[in-house]
Amino acid sequence: MMNYKELADATHQWADARGIVKNGKVFTQTMKLISEFGELCDAIIKSRPHEIKDAIGDMMVVLSNIASIKESNWREYFLDQSKKPLAAELMYNEQDVRNYIRLINQCITSLLENNFVYGLKLPQYLKAIAQLNSLMLTECWESAYNEIKDRKGYLNEHGNFVKEGDV
């Protein structure tokens, strides 16, 4: 199992090798984040743990890309936020889930408004959703990374990554 630093470094290297760090745009990555958030909400509604794990992991990859595009000190801030422990024991109930979904939505909105300090706190809330579903954030992220690590493609003129099979 990879740790947070290893995951952040591996994800950064993957994104850098595909031109995402150099040519990527925070806006298009945030739009991808919104898409993945929709998948997370759908998986929660349908009580599908595997899909919850996948969506959380994909969101961590996209967040890592955003932090890498922004600049190196944002990568460190993002990594610090990912490693922060949760403050309290969580119980899976509708109120807790609703609160974390609201906080995730606020973080994404903050990223759209170029408020990176609040937006990059998102890993804390994804960690809570993971924990509520008996998952670890690193396990979700590593699963997503393992799925994309050999993926080929390119960054198009709009700043979107186009998978080799989608061309």
Side-chain angles (χ1 to χ4, degrees):
M1 181 77 96
M2 295 170 81
N3 66 34
Y4 287 109
K5 174 114 175 69
E6 291 168 334
L7 286 163
D9 289 346
T11 304
H12 175 78
Q13 290 168 2
W14 175 86
D16 192 41
R18 285 149 186 84
I20 295 171
V21 174
K22 181 179 178 192
N23 302 316
K25 298 176 182 170
V26 171
F27 176 74
T28 54
Q29 288 294 306
T30 303
M31 295 303 287
K32 180 65 177 162
L33 188 63
I34 292 168
S35 173
E36 299 295 348
F37 180 49
E39 290 181 21
L40 175 61
C41 291
D42 192 53
I44 290 170
I45 290 168
K46 294 175 181 172
S47 298
R48 295 184 175 161
H50 180 74
E51 291 176 19
I52 291 169
K53 177 181 179 179
D54 183 59
I56 290 171
D58 289 346
M59 289 178 76
M60 288 299 293
V61 168
V62 175
L63 278 168
S64 178
N65 292 347
I66 290 170
S68 291
I69 290 167
K70 192 65 182 148
E71 56 190 76
S72 61
N73 64 329
W74 289 104
R75 283 185 68 232
E76 291 304 317
Y77 182 79
F78 162 73
L79 187 57
D80 288 345
Q81 294 304 308
S82 301
K83 293 190 281 190
K84 278 191 174 179
L86 293 173
E89 287 281 321
L90 299 174
M91 300 295 288
Y92 197 96
N93 61 58
E94 187 176 322
Q95 189 60 43
D96 279 347
V97 173
R98 184 179 310 161
N99 285 337
Y100 284 108
I101 293 298
R102 180 182 52 76
L103 290 166
I104 291 168
N105 187 54
Q106 288 173 354
C107 286
I108 294 170
T109 300
S110 293
L111 289 171
L112 283 172
E113 295 169 349
N114 292 319
N115 179 351
F116 297 98
V117 173
Y118 186 76
L120 291 179
K121 291 184 180 216
L122 185 49
Q124 295 175 45
Y125 309 131
L126 290 175
K127 184 184 286 188
I129 293 291
Q131 184 176 317
L132 287 169
N133 288 278
S134 302
L135 299 164
M136 294 182 341
L137 186 60
T138 51
E139 135 187 50
C140 299
W141 191 357
E142 185 169 359
S143 176
Y145 173 74
N146 285 333
E147 191 173 310
I148 65 162
K149 69 181 178 183
D150 297 321
R151 187 175 290 164
K152 305 285 188 239
Y154 67 95
L155 204 66
N156 70 14
E157 66 277 7
H158 305 293
N160 297 312
F161 183 74
V162 179
K163 294 181 218 173
E164 191 174 68
D166 291 346
V167 179

